[in-house]
DNA sequence: GCCAACGTTGGC
DNA sequence: GCCAACGTTGGC
């Protein structure tokens, strides 16, 4: 089992939105490394930190879980979608996604500022300068450390 | 809204 | 295959 962190802008889709919908297709990822993680390494049941980005208080807001195997992101075929990719085809889809299901909100948002203060977390891609990966692995040690902060 | 950092595109 | 230009991410 692998652990993950997935970013979402709460103005677009927040942990509360996931709590209400229970389950969501994680569409719109258009970065090859993030896609590869979803396609090649994620397994149903893997735990996921739900991270709020591009907002007043960026940080980890809740826990989700991978809820499907990877399958083609339908938005890539939809000319009306902002995620439409004319270079992709149904025969050879470029972008894959997984479904994610709600597990729980954290008791409080563990902010990016707080994460930065812990040396045990210094290796997280999230904290590396310039890293923008929206789907990234979290080690078991990092996962446990962060949950203990809650 | 700014801008640093990064990934992708496309001309050559 | 190089690399400049461009678009995007995301913290601040």
């Amino acid at each position: 089992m692998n652990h993950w962190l997935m970013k979402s802008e709460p103005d677009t889709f927040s942990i509360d939105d996931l709590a209400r919908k229970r389950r969501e297709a994680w569409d719109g990822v258009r970065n090859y490394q993030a896609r590869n993680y979803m396609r090649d390494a994620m397994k149903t049941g893997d735990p996921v930190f739900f991270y709020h980005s591009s907002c007043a208080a960026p940080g980890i807001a809740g826990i989700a879980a991978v809820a499907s195997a990877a399958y083609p992101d339908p938005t890539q075929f939809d000319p009306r979608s902002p995620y439409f990719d004319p270079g992709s085809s149904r025969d050879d889809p470029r972008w894959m996604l997984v479904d994610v299901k709600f597990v729980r909100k954290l008791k409080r948002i563990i902010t990016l500022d707080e994460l930065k203060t812990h040396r045990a977390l210094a290796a997280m891609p999230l904290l590396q300068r310039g890293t923008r990966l929206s789907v990234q692995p979290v080690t078991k040690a990092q996962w446990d450390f962060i949950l203990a902060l809650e």
Side-chain angles (χ1 to χ4, degrees):
Chain A
M1 171 186 295
N2 294 307
H3 297 71
W4 305 97
L5 180 146
M6 298 171 89
K7 297 179 185 174
S8 184
E9 300 188 14
D11 290 349
T12 304
F13 191 79
S14 71
I15 188 71
D16 289 319
D17 293 323
L18 185 63
R20 185 163 33 79
K21 297 187 70 177
R22 312 310 296 180
R23 182 184 178 111
E24 183 78 355
W26 204 264
D27 61 19
V29 172
R30 295 292 180 270
N31 169 280
Y32 288 105
Q33 195 174 353
R35 177 206 66 184
N36 292 348
Y37 282 133
M38 290 197 288
R39 185 189 62 188
D40 304 332
M42 279 190 173
K43 296 281 188 288
T44 298
D46 281 358
V48 176
F49 280 139
F50 193 109
Y51 180 88
H52 283 174
S53 65
S54 293
C55 57
I60 296 170
I63 298 176
V66 177
S68 77
Y71 61 96
D73 181 342
T75 64
Q76 71 195 300
F77 308 124
D78 179 1
R80 284 171 305 283
S81 167
Y83 303 123
F84 177 61
D85 182 352
S88 184
S89 70
R90 290 182 188 276
D91 290 343
D92 187 18
R94 182 176 290 173
W95 305 109
M96 306 289 279
L97 54 67
V98 297
D99 290 351
V100 161
K101 70 177 181 187
F102 179 74
V103 174
R104 68 177 178 89
K105 291 178 71 172
L106 295 190
K107 296 173 197 137
R108 63 184 184 89
I109 291 184
I110 300 177
T111 64
L112 178 62
D113 281 346
E114 181 175 355
L115 296 172
K116 283 178 179 170
T117 66
H118 295 289
R119 294 190 58 194
L121 304 176
M124 290 183 76
L126 184 71
L127 305 183
Q128 305 312 303
R129 193 172 65 122
T131 297
R132 303 173 312 185
L133 252 192
S134 64
V135 176
Q136 54 181 267
V138 176
T139 68
K140 180 69 161 59
Q142 290 160 351
W143 180 276
D144 292 341
F145 186 93
I146 291 167
L147 273 190
L149 297 174
E150 185 184 10

